[in-house]
């Protein structure tokens, strides 16, 4: 994982194989304070990707990530949640039922932190590089200028993964980060899942 550091170990909760689930996988992530537009796009992308046999990987946070996970489940597809804590913990706490559904329907909870580890600020940031490393492409749906999703985009770039961004309103603070990625060429604009190249696997 290059300069972002390689985890000493990974813990997983669920009955599926992480290797098989991430053979064809895309990270869908963005702000916890997603707008209606952001949640709708995340759900649309999550549903269509999962229906196409792509594993949807996210951080389990409220907003964009949650919408993507739920949509993947609704399509009867596969989804993986990367946690900033031990896989025996629930973060955020209100997602206990969601995580139960992920496991029950053949997905996984994954973490680089041991059983009992709690979510702290540094681990929220570190989680971003694992999101990028487990997938061949990262899609930023909606992200402000200080969003953790931007750290995921940087990690994906450092790892040689593809980075995509969904354009947002220039008047929305929740889109300033992703729009800046697009303006600087750090991400490729996508408005449909057909624009996402996930077929070539990890580079």
């Amino acid at each position: 994982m290059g300069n972002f550091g390689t985890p000493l170990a990974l813990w997983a909760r669920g009955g599926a194989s992480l290797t098989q689930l991430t053979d064809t996988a895309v990270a869908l992530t963005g702000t916890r304070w997603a707008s209606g537009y952001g949640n709708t796009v995340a759900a649309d992308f999550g549903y269509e990707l999962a229906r196409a046999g792509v594993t949807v990987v996210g951080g389990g946070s409220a907003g964009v990530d949650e919408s993507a996970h739920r949509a993947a489940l609704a399509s009867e597809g596969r989804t993986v949640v990367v946690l900033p804590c031990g896989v025996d913990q629930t973060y955020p706490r209100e997602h206990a039922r969601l995580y139960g559904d992920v496991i029950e329907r053949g997905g996984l909870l994954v973490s680089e932190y041991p059983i009992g580890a709690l979510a702290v600020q540094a681990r929220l940031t570190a989680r971003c590089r694992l999101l990028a490393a487990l997938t061949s492409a990262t899609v930023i749906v909606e992200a402000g200028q200080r969003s953790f999703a931007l750290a995921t985009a940087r990690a994906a770039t450092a790892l040689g993964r593809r980075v995509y961004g969904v354009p947002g309103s220039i008047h929305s603070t929740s889109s300033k980060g992703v729009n800046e990625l697009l303006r600087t060429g750090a991400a490729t604009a996508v408005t449909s899942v057909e624009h996402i190249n996930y077929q070539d696997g990890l580079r």
Side-chain angles (χ1 to χ4, degrees):
M1 296 173 64
N3 293 332
F4 286 82
T6 302
L8 295 177
L10 290 179
W11 282 259
R13 183 178 172 192
S17 162
L18 178 61
T19 301
Q20 290 180 340
L21 283 183
T22 56
D23 180 59
T24 305
V26 169
L28 278 179
T29 189
T31 180
R32 289 173 288 172
W33 297 279
S35 65
Y37 165 77
N39 282 321
T40 297
V41 171
D44 288 347
F45 277 40
Y47 188 94
E48 293 299 330
L49 285 168
R51 192 170 69 168
V54 179
T55 299
V56 174
V57 181
S61 299
V64 168
D65 296 52
E66 177 185 0
S67 294
H69 290 304
R70 292 191 185 280
L73 294 175
S75 76
E76 300 185 355
R78 306 169 300 182
T79 190
V80 170
V81 180
V82 179
L83 293 171
C85 55
V87 294
D88 61 323
Q89 306 294 311
T90 301
Y91 181 86
R93 289 189 176 183
E94 59 268 24
H95 285 177
R97 184 169 181 176
L98 170 61
Y99 295 167
D101 288 343
V102 168
I103 294 170
E104 181 180 334
R105 300 184 194 181
L108 284 174
L109 307 183
V110 177
S111 177
E112 64 180 288
Y113 302 108
I115 300 299
L118 301 178
V120 295
Q121 185 73 17
R123 290 172 181 167
L124 290 169
T125 304
R127 168 180 58 179
C128 298
R129 80 196 198 291
L130 191 53
L131 272 172
L134 292 175
T135 56
S136 60
T138 290
V139 182
I140 310 299
V141 174
E142 191 174 44
Q145 290 177 306
R146 300 182 66 182
S147 173
F148 286 118
L150 302 185
T152 305
R154 290 192 294 271
T157 297
L159 292 167
R161 310 292 199 256
R162 303 173 190 88
V163 180
Y164 299 96
V166 177
S169 168
I170 62 172
H171 301 295
S172 170
T173 57
S174 294
S175 290
K176 286 187 179 297
V178 67
N179 285 344
E180 183 66 9
L181 290 177
L182 297 173
R183 186 190 70 81
T184 60
T188 301
V190 290
T191 56
S192 167
V193 294
E194 283 77 16
H195 301 155
I196 301 169
N197 181 1
Y198 53 80
Q199 299 289 355
D200 298 335
L202 303 185
R203 291 191 290 167

